[in-house]
C-alpha cells in the first residue's frame, strides 16, 4: 500500500503514503527562510515522499520556539517562500507549511515573558524558560488572525497547504489542556471552550484560502501528564474537527514536560514490536471519524509501515528522523535497496549530562544532519554527540540547549 495514491476530499491527490513529518530545522537567519531550507526540501522532494511538512513556521515573534525558527507574519519574504515552495513541490510532492506559536514553551532567549492561556509555569524548565503570563481576550483574537494571515501567505507562495500545530505542548495544545488552561472565560473550562481557540483558527484560515488548499492538524493523542489533555478528549477533538471539514489529522503525543513522542517506543514492549507509537489510538479515532489519519513516531521498517497501513486505521505513515539519515527513503524502498534505518538514542555516555539535556542534544544531533543535507553533504550517522554539544554551546551558549521540538 505504501505506493498507492491517495485523494483528499478536496480533490488533491498524493502520489504515495509517505508523510515526512515536521522536524525543527533551525535553519532560518533572523527569522527568515534562506538557501539552506530551499536546498533541504529539494533533497527531500526528490527523495520520493508524497507529503513533506516543514518544521515550525511561527505566526508571530512572540511565539518563536528557538532563535532560528522561521517566522511568517507578512509578505516581506514572499519571493524566498516561493523558492521554498517550488523546491518542496518538485517530483510531485505536496509541501505543507506547519504553522505554530510556542506559547509558554518559548525560551527566555527569545521571550522574556512567554504567553499562555493561563499563568501556569512549565515544570523542570528552570533557567531555560521563564514563567508565562495569561493572554487577554483581545490578544487571543489577534493570534487567531495571525494564524490565518500566515496561511494566506503560504498559499500565495505556492505551498500545498498548512498544518495547524495543536500538539507537543505548544500554544494550541496549552489551550486544550485542563492542566495548562485554567481560564474561566469562553476560552477555558469545558472541552468545547478549550478547543475554541483551535476551531476559530481553523475557521479563520478557511475564510482566506482556496478550496484546494489543504488545512490539516497535528494533535496529541494525550499529554501523558496528570490532569492534562487525555485520550477521550483527544478523540472528541478529532470528531469535532472532522465534522468541521479538516483535511487531515496527524497524531502524536506528549509535551516538554512529558515527551512521549520521543520515548514511547523505549517504554512499551508492544510498541517496540510493531514500531508505531500511537496505533491503538488511531483505531479509536477511526471509529468516530473518516478524516484522513497519519500516525507519526516509531516507523523504521518497510514491513511495519505496510502492516500499519493494512490495518485500515491510518492513511499515511508519518516518518521524521529517518528522513534526516535516509532522505530518499521512499525511493530506496521502491528500488528494493532500503535497509531499515537504526535510530539509537544519542547520548554522550556521561549520565548526569544525558539526563539533563539528552533529549535536546538528540534533536540538535538530527538538526546537524539536516544542515549537512542542506549544504550538499551526506548524513553522518557516526557524528559525535560531544562534537554536537560543543558546537551548540559555542554558537548559541546555554540557550542552544533549551529548545527544539517538531
Amino acid at each position: 500500500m505504501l505506493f498507492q495514491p491517495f485523494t483528499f476530499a478536496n480533490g488533491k491527490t498524493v502520489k504515495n503514503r509517505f508523510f515526512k513529518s515536521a522536524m525543527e530545522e533551525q535553519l532560518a537567519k533572523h527569522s527568515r527562510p534562506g538557501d539552506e531550507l530551499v536546498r533541504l526540501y529539494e533533497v527531500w522532494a526528490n527523495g520520493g515522499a508524497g507529503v513533506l511538512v516543514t518544521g515550525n513556521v511561527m505566526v508571530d515573534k512572540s511565539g518563536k520556539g528557538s532563535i532560528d525558527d522561521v517566522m511568517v507574519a507578512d509578505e516581506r519574504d514572499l519571493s524566498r517562500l516561493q523558492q521554498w515552495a517550488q523546491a518542496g513541490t518538485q517530483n510531485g510532492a505536496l509541501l505543507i507549511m506547519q504553522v505554530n506559536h510556542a506559547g509558554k514553551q518559548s525560551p527566555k532567549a527569545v521571550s522574556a515573558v512567554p504567553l499562555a492561556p493561563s499563568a501556569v509555569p512549565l515544570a523542570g524548565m528552570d533557567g531555560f524558560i521563564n514563567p508565562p503570563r495569561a493572554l487577554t481576550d483581545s490578544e487571543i483574537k489577534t493570534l487567531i488572525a495571525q494564524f490565518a494571515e500566515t496561511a494566506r501567505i503560504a498559499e500565495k507562495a505556492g505551498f500545498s497547504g498548512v498544518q495547524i500545530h495543536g500538539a507537543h505542548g505548544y500554544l494550541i495544545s496549552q489551550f486544550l489542556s485542563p492542566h495548562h488552561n485554567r481560564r474561566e472565560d469562553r476560552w477555558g473550562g469545558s472541552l468545547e471552550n478549550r478547543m475554541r481557540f483551535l476551531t476559530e483558527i481553523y475557521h479563520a484560515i478557511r475564510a482566506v484560502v482556496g478550496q484546494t488548499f489543504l488545512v490539516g492538524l497535528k494533535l496529541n493523542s494525550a499529554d501523558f501528564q496528570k490532569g492534562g489533555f487525555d485520550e477521550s478528549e483527544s478523540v472528541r477533538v478529532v470528531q469535532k474537527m472532522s465534522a468541521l471539514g479538516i483535511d487531515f489529522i496527524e497524531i502524536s503525543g506528549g509535551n516538554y514536560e512529558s515527551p512521549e513522542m520521543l520515548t514511547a517506543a523505549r517504554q512499551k514492549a508492544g510498541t517496540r514490536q510493531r514500531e508505531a507509537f500511537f496505533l491503538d489510538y488511531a483505531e479509536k479515532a477511526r471509529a468516530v471519524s473518516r478524516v484522513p489519519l497519519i500516525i507519526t513516531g516509531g516507523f523504521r521498517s518497510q514491513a511495519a509501515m505496510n502492516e500499519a497501513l493494512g490495518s485500515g486505521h491510518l492513511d499515511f505513515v508519518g516518518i521524521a528522523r529517518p528522513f534526516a539519515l535516509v532522505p530518499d527513503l521512499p525511493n530506496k524502498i521502491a528500488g528494493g535497496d532500503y535497509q531499515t534505518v537504526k535510530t539509537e538514542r544519542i547520548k554522550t555516555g556521561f549520565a548526569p549530562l544525558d539526563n539533563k539535556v539528552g533529549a535536546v542534544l538528540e534533536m540538535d544531533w538530527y538538526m546537524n544532519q539536516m544542515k549537512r543535507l542542506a549544504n550538499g553533504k551526506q548524513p553522518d550517522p557516526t557524528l559525535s554527540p560531544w562534537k554536537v554539544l560543543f558546537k551548540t554551546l559555542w554558537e548559541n551558549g546555554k540557550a542552544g540547549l533549551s529548545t527544539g521540538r517538531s
Side-chain angles (χ1 to χ4, degrees):
M1 290 187 64
L2 282 166
F3 293 94
Q4 288 183 4
F6 180 90
T7 301
F8 290 98
N10 68 0
K12 186 157 284 190
T13 296
V14 187
K15 64 181 179 180
N16 60 41
R17 307 302 182 93
F18 292 96
F19 185 100
K20 199 290 290 176
S21 297
M23 289 184 283
E24 188 169 359
E25 310 97 352
Q26 295 197 13
L27 292 175
K29 304 298 181 188
H30 307 292
S31 304
R32 311 176 81 164
D35 291 339
E36 289 182 319
L37 277 171
V38 174
R39 287 194 293 265
L40 177 60
Y41 281 81
E42 183 176 40
V43 169
W44 276 331
N46 287 316
V51 180
L52 302 174
V53 184
T54 73
N56 291 314
V57 172
M58 300 306 187
V59 303
D60 182 69
K61 63 182 179 182
S62 66
K64 290 183 65 176
S66 75
I67 296 169
D68 296 323
D69 280 346
V70 175
M71 182 186 72
V72 176
D74 53 42
E75 295 189 12
R76 75 183 66 185
D77 293 316
L78 183 60
S79 62
R80 183 49 57 95
L81 290 171
Q82 289 170 330
Q83 292 175 22
W84 190 3
Q86 185 174 25
T89 53
Q90 293 182 31
N91 195 30
L94 300 184
L95 182 62
I96 307 295
M97 178 187 287
Q98 186 181 72
V99 292
N100 193 14
H101 188 291
K104 64 181 170 186
Q105 290 188 163
S106 184
K108 70 177 185 180
V110 293
S111 295
V113 183
L115 305 175
S118 305
V120 179
L122 289 172
M125 300 296 162
D126 296 346
F128 289 138
I129 298 178
N130 287 334
R133 72 166 176 83
L135 285 156
T136 66
D137 185 79
S138 64
E139 287 174 328
I140 292 171
K141 292 174 182 172
T142 297
L143 283 168
I144 291 168
Q146 288 174 313
F147 271 92
E149 176 64 1
T150 302
R152 185 193 65 78
I153 295 169
E155 183 179 35
K156 186 173 182 178
F159 284 76
S160 311
V162 292
Q163 182 188 57
I164 303 166
H165 199 333
H168 298 176
Y170 290 116
L171 184 59
I172 295 172
S173 175
Q174 291 161 28
F175 268 91
L176 289 170
S177 166
H179 170 73
H180 294 289
N181 182 350
R182 312 281 178 88
R183 301 180 73 96
E184 297 179 348
D185 57 9
R186 69 193 189 104
W187 306 103
S190 66
L191 178 60
E192 182 179 359
N193 280 356
R194 282 183 276 121
M195 76 166 84
R196 191 184 310 280
F197 185 54
L198 167 62
T199 58
E200 293 208 6
I201 287 172
Y202 173 73
H203 287 306
I205 290 175
R206 279 291 191 214
V208 298
V209 301
Q211 286 297 315
T212 60
F213 189 71
L214 295 168
V215 181
L217 170 67
K218 187 165 191 169
L219 180 71
N220 273 355
S221 62
D223 290 348
F224 301 101
Q225 66 179 162
K226 187 177 181 180
F229 183 65
D230 63 22
E231 185 176 280
S232 64
E233 290 190 328
S234 178
V235 171
R236 289 169 59 193
V237 173
V238 168
Q239 195 170 18
K240 174 71 173 181
M241 297 306 295
S242 176
L244 291 179
I246 197 98
D247 288 310
F248 63 86
I249 297 179
E250 179 188 3
I251 301 301
S252 190
N255 55 34
Y256 273 33
E257 295 169 314
S258 180
E260 186 78 1
M261 60 286 200
L262 303 177
T263 60
R266 297 170 192 141
Q267 296 173 344
K268 301 171 183 175
T271 302
R272 286 197 297 271
Q273 184 177 8
R274 63 169 186 260
E275 297 185 12
F277 285 7
F278 306 108
L279 201 53
D280 293 341
Y281 172 91
E283 184 175 0
K284 296 170 186 172
R286 186 65 106 197
V288 300
S289 163
R290 298 307 299 175
V291 66
L293 285 176
I294 302 102
I295 298 298
T296 294
F299 288 116
R300 299 295 180 267
S301 71
Q302 181 180 351
M305 297 175 204
N306 272 315
E307 182 181 352
L309 287 171
S311 73
H313 302 319
L314 60 154
D315 301 287
F316 296 87
V317 288
I319 303 168
R321 291 180 173 183
F323 271 104
L325 297 174
V326 187
D328 57 347
L329 186 152
N331 286 350
K332 285 194 179 319
I333 289 180
D337 58 352
Y338 173 66
Q339 295 183 342
T340 299
V341 62
K342 304 293 185 185
T343 53
E344 302 296 335
R345 186 179 177 191
I346 305 301
K347 54 185 178 181
T348 64
F350 182 55
L353 184 62
D354 291 326
N355 292 336
K356 177 70 174 175
V357 300
V360 177
L361 176 61
E362 189 161 338
M363 284 180 279
D364 285 344
W365 190 87
Y366 281 97
M367 283 189 276
N368 272 267
Q369 302 293 352
M370 286 185 273
K371 191 173 181 66
R372 291 180 63 85
L373 293 173
N375 286 281
K377 300 177 181 177
Q378 292 298 310
D380 179 9
T382 66
L383 181 63
S384 165
W386 283 106
K387 184 176 180 180
V388 173
L389 176 64
F390 289 134
K391 180 173 180 288
T392 300
L393 291 172
W394 175 260
E395 292 178 346
N396 299 310
K398 288 173 62 178
L401 296 174
S402 66
T403 63
R405 281 290 188 275
S406 58

